[in-house]
Structures are given as C-alpha cells and as structure tokens.
Amino acid sequence: MKPFTDEDVEIYIQSKVERRHYLVSKAVEEVQKIIQQLTAEISYKAVRFQAISNSGIHNENIKDQPALLAKWSAMLRRKRPFHPSIQVLAPSQFLITVPLRGLTGYRECQVRHWRYYTVNGAKLLSSVRDPEELHQWLEVEQFSKSLQQWHEEDVNIEGDLVPAKVLIVFRELVEKSIVSCNLSSKVTVLESFSSVVRVAVETSESQVEVELVPAVEIPTCWPEKARWPRCLKRWPSQEKVQCIKVGITLIPTYSRGICCSGFRPARSECCGVNQCCICVTSKTVLFWTCEKYPRTKDWRCFPEAFLRLVQKLHKCVSQHFLKHYFLKNTNLLKYANTSDLDLVASKLAVFLENPVFCLD
C-alpha cells in the first residue's frame, strides 16, 4: 500500500473538504433564514410553538433562570457561532428542532404506567411487543408548569402528551404558514411516515431536505438511564463532561413495527437512528474510539487515526450492531435497513483494501 503523506492529505482537504464546507455553510445560512421566517409565523398562529431563534440559550422556557443562562454564556464565550437547533445530517439533509413553549420544570417519572398509541394518536387497548425497550410516554404532570393549551384534546389523552397528535397539529401549522408567509416557491411539504415533518427547501445552489421536529429543551436535567461518564475512563476530561451535560432535548420518535409513539431524550448524539451511517452513527464511532484511545499522541498521525475510525465503522456495520454511547443495551443500528448496511460495509471494505485510492 502506497503511504500518503501529510502534503497529500492537505491537498485533498483544500480541494475537496473546504469546498464542501463552504457549500454546506451557505446552505445552512439560507435554510436557517427561511425556517426562521416559517417558525415565527407558526409561533404567531399557535403559542405552543416557538421560532427556532428561541433555541438553546434564547429559549423562553429558561429566561427566568439567570444562573443557568450565565453558565451557558460562559461556555459559549469565544466559541465559534452555531445554531443550536440545526444539525447537518448530510450536505442536502438537515434536522431542525422547533422548540416548544409552556413546558417547564421537567422531572423523570419514578413509576412506569405503560400506554400504547397508533401513529395517528389513537389509544390502543392491547400491549405491544417488547414494551421494556420503549421509553415512558411524556406526561403533562412531569412538568411543574404547563400552558393550558397542552391539556387540550388535540394533543392530550388522559394526561399524556401524544407525540403523534403533536405532529399532526404541527404539520397543519407548517402547511398553513407556508402559504401565509408566501414561501410556496421555496418550501414544499413532503410525504412522511416517521416522527418528523419533512419539507424541501430551495436554496441558491440546490434543494435541501429538512426534517422539522418539535422539541422540548430541558437544560436542567440529565436522564438517569444515561449513566455517563463511565468509571475509570480517561476520556473525556471532567471539564468536557461538564460542558456536555448541560441538559437534554426531548423529541418524538416512533418504534418500528406496531409504531408506538414516545418522547426520547436526545441532544445531538442522544437520538435514534433510522438511516444508515448518518451523522449520529459517525459520532458514536468516534466517541467509542476516543474512549479506547484517550491519549493525544494516538491522534497525531491523521492517516492512522482515520483508518482506525473506518475500521471500527466497518466492523459495526458488518455486524449490524453499534452500541449506543449513552444508553446501555441499545443498538443504534437495530432498525436500519440490513441491505443498506451490507452495501456500506462492502464499500468500506473496498476502501480499506486500498485507502490511497480515495485520495488520488
């Protein structure tokens, strides 16, 4: 195998990666402007939803917590600006969380009472398979303060906030707001069978598929199931841990099969994966590898470090198993299409046979 030099890598980065970074950054800027206009209109129509400009440190749910705001401001100081609600899954695929208003003072349930709902929000009388693998449905009583609108029948069944119902309301608002904002030429609602509202957004360079997800941002809580960091691990440092454990975001997700709905903890790397090798998968592989190789010198040689990550990814994809970094006994690839996984595994195997090929 012909070894590639640092100069080869530098040339590759300059010719490929920087151009891609420019295009993605431009797309993010344009999409953010359009979705901000759209969600501001939605917020005007329905008080339960906020514009994406109110995500993170600007969320209205935490405006009365000065100590927390000060902590976030200190952590973000001298950091590169970013939008907390936007995640780039691929150059033409974004995930944007839309913050909800009027749900504050979250606490986890101590006792589980299993309930089951269809994707349309109807309550089922019989149980589903493997209920222990699903998370507790979100109850209004889990919040010390809640707007009266969250108790209404369009989103609530006997005290449960049903994700399917919230998504139905949200989708209707998206469709109406596109028209009232005169965005019909830029935004198109796509068909969706998952726990998101999919829209196509036209940018100056290309079309971007955006997944809009209603989310409850909870900056004061860390889920008990996410027992992290693990004992006797050198990575990450305690300083990094404190920066990461600033809270969670609850988003609606669907289990495959009978399609039960539930709000699961998610903040960047804490969400389920329905596609093969998207952003979350790559991050998880990186986290496990960093934990196994915590020393700085293990990452000084870029070719060796990069190949180590690819080998780890190839192993996980080939075995159809990638352990969740935060949640015990959870396989991120459980619901991924096995044919897609096998295809990715074969492509990774070709690359590993001759890694220089992709840099030529």
Side-chain angles (χ1 to χ4, degrees):
M1 182 183 75
K2 175 185 174 184
F4 49 85
T5 65
D6 291 342
E7 184 179 358
D8 294 330
V9 175
E10 186 66 25
I11 293 174
Y12 174 77
I13 291 176
Q14 290 179 352
S15 63
K16 301 290 184 179
V17 178
E18 290 185 0
R19 173 61 179 170
R20 170 172 164 154
H21 176 73
Y22 167 76
L23 293 175
V24 171
S25 297
K26 185 178 180 181
V28 168
E29 184 178 344
E30 294 182 27
V31 169
Q32 176 183 335
K33 183 177 180 180
I34 293 172
I35 299 301
Q36 166 60 27
Q37 181 182 355
L38 178 64
T39 52
E41 179 70 13
I42 291 173
S43 181
Y44 175 76
K45 295 178 182 296
V47 69
R48 290 179 289 203
F49 300 91
Q50 300 185 64
I52 61 170
S53 56
N54 289 335
S55 294
I57 193 173
H58 304 292
N59 194 307
E60 293 184 13
N61 289 343
I62 62 171
K63 61 184 180 181
D64 58 345
Q65 302 182 48
L68 182 62
L69 290 174
K71 179 181 178 180
W72 274 26
S73 299
M75 287 193 301
L76 295 176
R77 195 172 296 126
R78 296 185 298 276
K79 301 290 185 181
R80 184 170 173 226
F82 71 104
H83 199 288
S85 71
I86 301 177
Q87 296 182 42
V88 179
L89 304 181
S92 59
Q93 185 180 16
F94 298 171
L95 171 69
I96 300 181
T97 54
V98 179
L100 300 180
R101 179 188 286 113
L103 293 170
T104 59
Y106 173 79
R107 57 185 179 274
E108 292 191 90
C109 280
Q110 300 300 316
V111 180
R112 291 188 174 190
H113 301 285
W114 294 107
R115 291 173 291 278
Y116 310 93
Y117 302 95
T118 67
V119 292
N120 296 319
K123 191 171 183 179
L124 294 174
L125 299 179
S126 60
S127 62
V128 296
R129 186 178 180 180
D130 298 328
E132 67 278 0
E133 296 184 3
L134 304 177
H135 286 253
Q136 172 72 23
W137 315 131
L138 195 63
E139 301 176 35
V140 176
E141 291 183 356
Q142 290 179 248
F143 297 90
S144 59
K145 296 181 181 179
S146 59
L147 285 176
Q148 179 58 37
Q149 286 85 344
W150 290 116
H151 297 261
E152 296 177 359
E153 293 182 355
D154 60 344
V155 295
N156 192 310
I157 296 180
E158 298 178 7
D160 293 338
L161 285 179
V162 183
K165 285 183 168 289
V166 175
L167 286 164
I168 290 172
V169 172
F170 180 62
R171 183 184 179 90
E172 291 176 352
L173 287 168
V174 169
E175 293 173 344
K176 292 178 181 178
S177 298
I178 289 174
V179 176
S180 59
C181 284
N182 298 318
L183 291 174
S184 299
S185 61
K186 296 182 179 180
V187 183
T188 305
V189 178
L190 304 175
E191 189 174 11
S192 176
F193 299 99
S194 62
S195 54
V196 300
V197 175
R198 294 172 57 244
V199 298
V201 179
E202 298 292 339
T203 67
S204 58
E205 297 288 340
S206 62
Q207 185 182 89
V208 176
E209 181 182 313
V210 178
E211 298 179 351
L212 298 174
V213 189
V216 183
E217 295 180 348
I218 304 173
T220 57
C221 176
W222 185 260
E224 292 183 5
K225 293 193 68 174
R227 299 186 182 279
W228 180 85
R230 280 166 285 281
C231 297
L232 305 177
K233 296 296 181 181
R234 297 176 57 187
W235 185 91
S237 66
Q238 285 300 314
E239 292 77 12
K240 292 293 184 182
V241 169
Q242 294 304 315
C243 289
I244 294 171
K245 296 180 70 170
V246 294
I248 59 173
T249 299
L250 301 180
I251 63 173
T253 65
Y254 290 134
S255 147
R256 295 291 179 97
I258 304 185
C259 299
C260 287
S261 315
F263 282 83
R264 292 188 179 181
R267 184 166 188 80
S268 184
E269 56 278 347
C270 294
C271 57
V273 178
N274 290 330
Q275 299 182 17
C276 176
C277 293
I278 61 171
C279 174
V280 177
T281 309
S282 302
K283 286 180 181 178
T284 304
V285 169
L286 176 61
F287 291 159
W288 284 118
T289 308
C290 286
E291 190 169 287
K292 186 175 181 180
Y293 299 92
R295 298 176 299 181
T296 304
K297 68 177 185 179
D298 294 326
W299 300 89
R300 285 175 181 162
C301 179
F302 174 80
E304 291 182 5
F306 180 73
L307 287 178
R308 192 184 298 134
L309 290 171
V310 177
Q311 290 166 353
K312 172 68 174 177
L313 178 60
H314 177 255
K315 179 181 178 181
C316 294
V317 173
S318 300
Q319 297 177 345
H320 302 176
F321 181 82
L322 174 58
K323 186 178 179 181
H324 199 294
Y325 186 70
F326 292 98
L327 301 180
K328 187 178 180 181
N329 300 325
T330 301
N331 177 16
L332 282 178
L333 302 180
K334 179 176 181 178
Y335 299 115
N337 186 295
T338 55
S339 298
D340 290 343
L341 291 176
D342 294 338
L343 178 61
V344 172
S346 63
K347 291 184 177 181
L348 291 174
V350 171
F351 170 77
L352 289 172
E353 288 179 3
N354 184 19
V356 182
F357 175 79
C358 290
L359 297 181
D360 289 341

